[in-house]
Amino acid sequence: MSLTERSSMSHRTVLIAGAGITGPALAYWLSLYGMTPTVVERAPALRDGGQTVDLRGAGLDVIRRMGLEAAARDVATREAGIRFVDDRNRTRATLPADAFGGRGPVAELEILRPLLSNLLYDHTRNDTEYLFGDEITSLNDEGPQVHATLKNAGERSFDYVIAADGIRSRTRDLVFTDTRIKGLGLRTAYFTIPHQPADGCWARWHNAPRHRSITLRPDNLGTTRAALSYLTPAQDDERLATTDQKQLLHRVFGGLAWEVPRILTEMDNASDFFFESVGQVHMPRWFMGRIAAVGDAAYCASPLSGMGTSLALTGAYTLAGELAHRADHHAAFTAYESTLRPYTARAQKLPPGTPRAALPRTRAGIALLNTVLRTATTKPASTLLARFLVPPADTLTLPTYRS
């Protein structure tokens, strides 16, 4: 590659939609390679809600290459593991954080999503333009550049536009018409509640009949993260108003014992309440012209995979690396996709029976699940169950790009 080509490549501009995890990570690598990133985010500021995410496998390797591992460990939740409990809070099965070599359902390094997002933002804000409270309303790819219309910032032109704004990416949907979101029949509500001494340092998972589960995960901020999940054939509950969603959860989980009354009471006052239909994103192609998608916007594997953060970080790293080292953007996007496709396919291939197997219908089914989980860390069961309980985060060898 000639010096002139390298010079022109290093001055390219990139508009990124989404300031969660993928967007700032992508901005970091693009800036490192001399490109100029701009991140646009619909929210007025970084979102302070969100549950615990895993840093594992290739995703953790990306964090190391960014020089952020020590900072991430400083704000890790230090969760001891997960206990599966009955309605009298008796432990029926335990999976410690070091199960399966620290690669199990609770990873060796867990961090709250907003803390990771803040970490990435602080690492990039001096070299990246952030436009909060704004969004892309139209895109026109005219060959040499993409003309973007922003709701507040008006019309601007960029060399590339990248959709990194989540599973229901509005930016992606402006361009790609063949995206399929595969629903898994699972609804989950996430929110933060006050910590109580009984919450301890272990995550607790309680299954109730009729495909319902409740989890409590103590964090490192003096609060506890709650999640209510249930299986349903309903199609429209995600579009309900927040107050109606909370009323729905009272109907679905009302009358249960354990910590449920406390959780429902605190839910009504939770400021970070988030309700979602759990699903996966399937796109036949991740790019078109000078516009591409990355992270959940392109290949969400769902929280059930345990791979969301690994896919976000490896996608950002690979996309930036290919753009930086190939003069032709079509070749760069093609290489990014061919490198990541097998990894995302493994992440999206959930264990058989998921999610129904994790949320049994009957008390007998719950008892059977707990029996299986009790054997999960013993030989020879651990070898068999690793297929179901260890996400394939280590199955990608990261390419090495020159900075």
Side-chain angles (χ1 to χ4, degrees):
M1 188 183 300
S2 71
L3 203 57
T4 302
E5 286 177 318
R6 285 195 178 278
S7 178
S8 63
M9 288 170 62
S10 67
H11 289 88
R12 290 173 294 177
T13 57
V14 185
L15 177 62
I16 304 165
I21 291 173
T22 313
L26 178 59
Y28 169 81
W29 292 107
L30 292 173
S31 180
L32 183 71
Y33 298 132
M35 286 178 267
T36 303
T38 295
V39 177
V40 59
E41 167 59 50
R42 282 194 299 124
L46 291 178
R47 301 174 190 269
D48 58 4
Q51 296 286 302
T52 305
V53 298
D54 313 320
L55 289 177
R56 61 170 87 224
L60 180 55
D61 195 5
V62 173
I63 289 293
R64 289 191 180 115
R65 295 188 188 192
M66 296 175 77
L68 290 176
E69 182 180 9
R73 291 189 181 278
D74 283 344
V75 293
T77 62
R78 294 175 177 82
E79 218 169 48
I82 184 168
R83 289 173 172 156
F84 297 84
V85 300
D86 63 17
D87 56 7
R88 294 169 61 184
N89 203 43
R90 295 176 298 186
T91 299
R92 295 307 187 186
T94 301
L95 289 176
D98 60 2
F100 304 101
R103 299 178 298 119
V106 174
E108 180 260 339
L109 178 52
E110 302 265 350
I111 183 173
L112 288 174
R113 185 188 182 281
L115 294 185
L116 178 58
S117 178
N118 273 278
L119 198 62
L120 294 168
Y121 171 70
D122 288 340
H123 205 48
T124 57
R125 62 181 178 177
N126 292 332
D127 302 303
T128 299
E129 178 186 21
Y130 279 88
L131 301 174
F132 287 101
D134 208 343
E135 64 179 304
I136 302 169
T137 58
S138 70
L139 292 170
N140 184 14
D141 185 352
E142 292 189 348
Q145 284 194 314
V146 181
H147 301 295
T149 301
L150 304 176
K151 186 175 182 180
N152 297 324
E155 295 184 2
R156 295 177 60 174
S157 296
F158 299 86
D159 291 300
Y160 313 116
V161 175
I162 311 297
D165 46 345
I167 182 173
R168 287 169 180 81
S169 166
R170 297 185 184 183
T171 308
R172 176 199 63 211
D173 292 346
L174 290 173
V175 179
F176 300 93
T177 59
D178 48 5
T179 302
R180 181 172 67 93
I181 298 180
K182 177 185 176 184
L184 300 178
L186 180 67
R187 304 292 187 271
T188 301
Y190 308 96
F191 48 94
T192 303
I193 66 175
H195 184 86
Q196 289 190 359
D199 294 339
C201 60
W202 285 77
R204 288 180 291 165
W205 179 310
H206 174 60
N207 273 316
R210 303 206 312 273
H211 306 297
R212 294 172 291 177
S213 75
I214 307 96
T215 60
L216 289 175
R217 303 187 72 170
D219 59 31
N220 55 317
L221 301 180
T223 52
T224 297
R225 308 287 160 145
L228 301 172
S229 300
Y230 64 99
L231 290 175
T232 176
Q235 300 295 318
D236 58 354
D237 44 7
E238 189 181 36
R239 292 189 287 270
L240 295 172
T242 298
T243 52
D244 293 330
Q245 289 171 344
K246 290 182 177 182
Q247 289 176 7
L248 172 64
L249 291 168
H250 274 283
R251 293 195 297 272
V252 172
F253 291 90
L256 293 178
W258 189 55
E259 300 272 10
V260 177
R262 164 200 170 195
I263 294 170
L264 291 175
T265 298
E266 298 293 353
M267 175 189 70
D268 291 334
N269 299 315
S271 60
D272 62 346
F273 177 88
F274 178 72
F275 184 96
E276 72 168 339
S277 172
V278 176
Q280 296 183 335
V281 173
H282 295 271
M283 294 179 68
R285 196 175 190 185
W286 297 346
F287 67 94
M288 184 179 298
R290 290 176 173 269
I291 303 169
V294 66
D296 279 356
Y299 38 76
C300 177
S302 86
L304 300 172
S305 69
M307 288 285 289
T309 308
S310 294
L311 294 178
L313 294 170
T314 56
Y317 171 84
T318 306
L319 176 54
E322 295 298 340
L323 280 174
H325 292 84
R326 297 179 188 270
D328 176 45
H329 65 273
H330 183 275
F333 287 149
T334 299
Y336 147 68
E337 183 166 344
S338 63
T339 300
L340 265 294
R341 273 282 183 188
Y343 191 52
T344 62
R346 288 190 290 272
Q348 290 185 328
K349 189 176 182 181
L350 300 176
T354 305
R356 300 184 73 85
L359 288 83
R361 183 178 64 86
T362 65
R363 293 190 181 278
I366 295 170
L368 176 61
L369 174 63
N370 290 336
T371 299
V372 171
L373 291 171
R374 274 198 299 274
T375 70
T377 58
T378 62
K379 295 287 187 179
S382 61
T383 303
L384 174 64
L385 292 176
R387 176 189 171 198
F388 301 94
L389 296 174
V390 176
D394 294 306
T395 62
L396 173 70
T397 300
L398 286 177
T400 298
Y401 303 105
R402 254 183 338 200
S403 63

